[in-house]
Amino acid sequence: MGMRAEMVRAKVMRVKGAKMRADGAALGDERLKAEGQRYQAAARAAEDRARASRSGPRL
């Protein structure tokens, strides 16, 4: 997958995690809130990997 596609995928994951976390907070569901936080953490890691692949050596 290309760097741009990875970035888009990571952004979508981050938004989905934020929605889950907000829904969990609104409903008082700690499990949903924690799952949203995990989604957001995974998205941040994916964004970091995509950025790192972009800044690699160019030939």
Side-chain angles (χ1 to χ4, degrees):
M1 206 178 317
M3 189 272 303
R4 187 175 305 261
E6 282 290 326
M7 289 295 287
V8 170
R9 185 177 146 270
K11 298 253 185 234
V12 169
M13 282 178 64
R14 185 178 268 195
V15 168
K16 183 176 178 180
K19 169 115 175 63
M20 290 169 70
R21 198 174 87 191
D23 288 348
L27 297 172
D29 186 352
E30 291 299 319
R31 183 198 59 80
L32 188 59
K33 193 172 162 184
E35 190 174 343
Q37 288 173 339
R38 283 192 299 274
Y39 243 78
Q40 286 185 307
R44 281 191 294 275
E47 279 184 63
D48 291 342
R49 282 192 305 272
R51 282 192 191 103
S53 71
R54 178 177 62 186
S55 63
R58 303 278 177 180
L59 299 176

